Amino acid sequence: MASADVKAQDPRIAGISSAIRVIPDFPKPGIMFQDITTLLLDTKAFRDTIDLFVERYKDKNISVVAGIEARGFIFGPPIALAIGAKFVPMRKPKKLPGEVISEEYSLEYGKDVMEMHVGAVQAGERALIVDDLVATGGTLSAAIRLLERVGVHVVECACVIELPELKGRERLGEKPLFVLVS
Amino acid sequence: MSAYKDKDARINGIKDQIRVVPNFPKPGIMFQDITTLLLKPKEFKDTIDMFVERYKGKNISVVAGIEARGFIFGPPIALAIGAKFVPLRKPKKLPGKVISEEYILEYGRDCLEMHVGAVESAERALVVDDLIATGGTLCAAINLLERVGAEVVECACVIELPDLKGRERLNGKPLYVLVESH
């Protein structure tokens, strides 16, 4: 099903959507996991995915693409390279070697922490946040807070897939969210 | 083979952007941090371009990237040479049916996984990671690909730590790096 974010007529969306594999009961019973690894095997669909984001963000003065570990590392760098922005990895704790700032966020059960290197971004920069999928929006919200704490303007969050029934879009407040497939 | 020895003009710029973080993850280790390279659009692009120039037109249909920093360099290379991208992951991350390869660490073992069906027999593959140290992880990656009948054409890393002799641990597969660090 095509997202309302992209013109219904964009012919590339159907190919992207059909290249995504749904795996039932992963990581636990009842969850229908959206597997993008099959999209990465389809060279045209992967290229189209990146192109759709690049077309949207090129010429928008975006100097930072932040990608969330680990699948955000797959989509973020090609976008960053194409629009001339730096790529900033947002990582689980203890992975980044230098001085970091941390942001705690809630999971269904318990908490997790996201980290970014101090000095990676400057106040006043305009940023995109990229991940493969938005579910509850908890991870994206943590990424937004991390960037805003250092004075960066988050222009938009960009994901390949949205699970609208989990209402992640609402959790992002007034931050816009752009997705290719819902 | 090392681009450093070939003295490509872009190499010094790339090497200068890599930050060395002492005593990470433990005392005595000088960690080669590529996140600072990713903050420089020109040097990040040069890094990718050097790999693309080498592998374009060589009939490579698979770029396998090792979690997580191989996910940053692998996809841009794959997209530019028209190959599929295959993530090689730590256990329990890939949602579908996997094949696993165990490998030895300094203390203990770890395991690398690949989705069944991602790669077909006789495909020509590249393995990409940010850095080669002892070669243990790359060796596991080569084994995974060869077990499904793929031909590993070369391993490609941004950085090599030659003193750790990883090059000798690659089952005779060639290794290409941009930068050496002693």
Side-chain angles (χ1 to χ4, degrees):
Chain A
M1 196 181 5
S3 161
D5 285 337
V6 183
K7 283 185 276 228
Q9 296 93 335
D10 192 305
R12 294 169 286 185
I13 290 293
I16 292 167
S17 186
S18 61
I20 296 163
R21 172 171 70 161
V22 180
I23 307 242
D25 303 322
F26 183 89
K28 50 185 201 189
I31 307 231
M32 302 294 279
F33 189 90
Q34 304 285 321
D35 179 22
I36 50 87
T37 66
T38 43
L39 170 64
L40 308 176
L41 300 179
D42 181 333
T43 51
K44 180 185 188 307
F46 185 21
R47 161 110 327 263
D48 287 345
T49 301
I50 300 303
D51 286 350
L52 280 161
F53 290 122
V54 170
E55 286 161 21
R56 183 177 179 84
Y57 298 116
K58 201 171 191 149
D59 306 326
K60 295 260 163 71
N61 244 55
I62 287 164
S63 59
V64 177
V65 173
I68 299 178
E69 166 164 22
R71 290 182 291 263
F73 288 9
I74 295 173
F75 297 98
I79 297 167
L81 286 160
I83 69 173
K86 50 184 153 178
F87 178 70
V88 176
M90 313 287 259
R91 298 210 67 174
K92 304 272 174 177
K94 300 193 181 24
K95 303 289 187 78
L96 292 170
E99 201 194 340
V100 296
I101 65 169
S102 303
E103 183 73 28
E104 203 177 69
Y105 61 104
S106 299
L107 297 172
E108 190 180 10
Y109 296 106
K111 293 174 187 280
D112 208 340
V113 175
M114 181 180 295
E115 297 187 336
M116 177 173 76
H117 267 148
V118 167
V121 294
Q122 253 78 270
E125 291 206 78
R126 286 164 55 78
L128 220 56
I129 302 173
V130 174
D131 207 356
D132 65 321
L133 180 144
V134 52
T136 62
T139 319
L140 279 176
S141 297
I144 293 167
R145 288 195 300 274
L146 260 179
L147 290 163
E148 291 190 331
R149 274 167 60 189
V150 295
V152 166
H153 173 56
V154 176
V155 173
E156 195 157 85
C157 296
C159 301
V160 180
I161 304 160
E162 176 186 17
L163 304 181
E165 61 277 12
L166 296 179
K167 304 193 192 298
R169 196 174 280 267
E170 286 158 34
R171 192 150 168 201
L172 302 184
E174 84 291 356
K175 282 303 165 197
L177 169 68
F178 175 74
V179 305
L180 304 184
V181 169
S182 274
Chain B
M1 176 170 238
S2 162
Y4 195 59
K5 299 198 178 84
D6 297 343
K7 294 188 175 58
D8 187 295
R10 292 167 287 186
I11 284 298
N12 285 333
I14 292 167
K15 188 172 172 104
D16 286 347
Q17 296 310 325
I18 296 164
R19 170 172 70 164
V20 180
V21 182
N23 302 316
F24 183 89
K26 49 184 202 190
I29 306 232
M30 301 295 279
F31 189 89
Q32 304 285 324
D33 179 19
I34 51 87
T35 68
T36 41
L37 172 63
L38 309 177
L39 299 180
K40 297 291 183 181
K42 178 193 182 306
E43 285 79 5
F44 184 20
K45 182 174 188 302
D46 285 345
T47 302
I48 300 302
D49 285 351
M50 291 192 65
F51 290 121
V52 170
E53 286 160 22
R54 182 176 178 83
Y55 298 119
K56 202 173 190 139
K58 296 261 165 70
N59 243 56
I60 288 163
S61 59
V62 175
V63 173
I66 299 178
E67 167 164 21
R69 290 182 291 263
F71 288 9
I72 295 172
F73 297 98
I77 297 167
L79 286 160
I81 69 173
K84 48 187 166 182
F85 178 71
V86 176
L88 303 184
R89 298 209 68 173
K90 303 276 169 159
K92 301 196 185 13
K93 302 293 188 75
L94 292 170
K97 188 162 176 229
V98 297
I99 63 168
S100 302
E101 180 76 18
E102 206 175 62
Y103 61 104
I104 312 279
L105 296 172
E106 191 180 10
Y107 296 105
R109 295 161 187 273
D110 207 340
C111 201
L112 206 59
E113 296 187 338
M114 178 172 77
H115 267 148
V116 167
V119 175
E120 253 123 74
S121 179
E123 290 206 77
R124 286 163 55 77
L126 223 55
V127 182
V128 174
D129 207 355
D130 65 322
L131 179 144
I132 173 175
T134 62
T137 320
L138 277 175
C139 184
I142 293 166
N143 289 343
L144 270 175
L145 290 160
E146 290 190 330
R147 276 167 59 189
V148 298
E151 179 199 346
V152 176
V153 173
E154 194 156 85
C155 295
C157 300
V158 181
I159 305 160
E160 178 186 14
L161 305 180
D163 302 340
L164 296 178
K165 302 188 193 300
R167 199 177 274 269
E168 294 161 24
R169 205 168 156 186
L170 303 181
N171 296 358
K173 294 300 167 194
L175 169 70
Y176 175 73
V177 305
L178 303 186
V179 164
E180 290 175 10
S181 184
H182 293 267

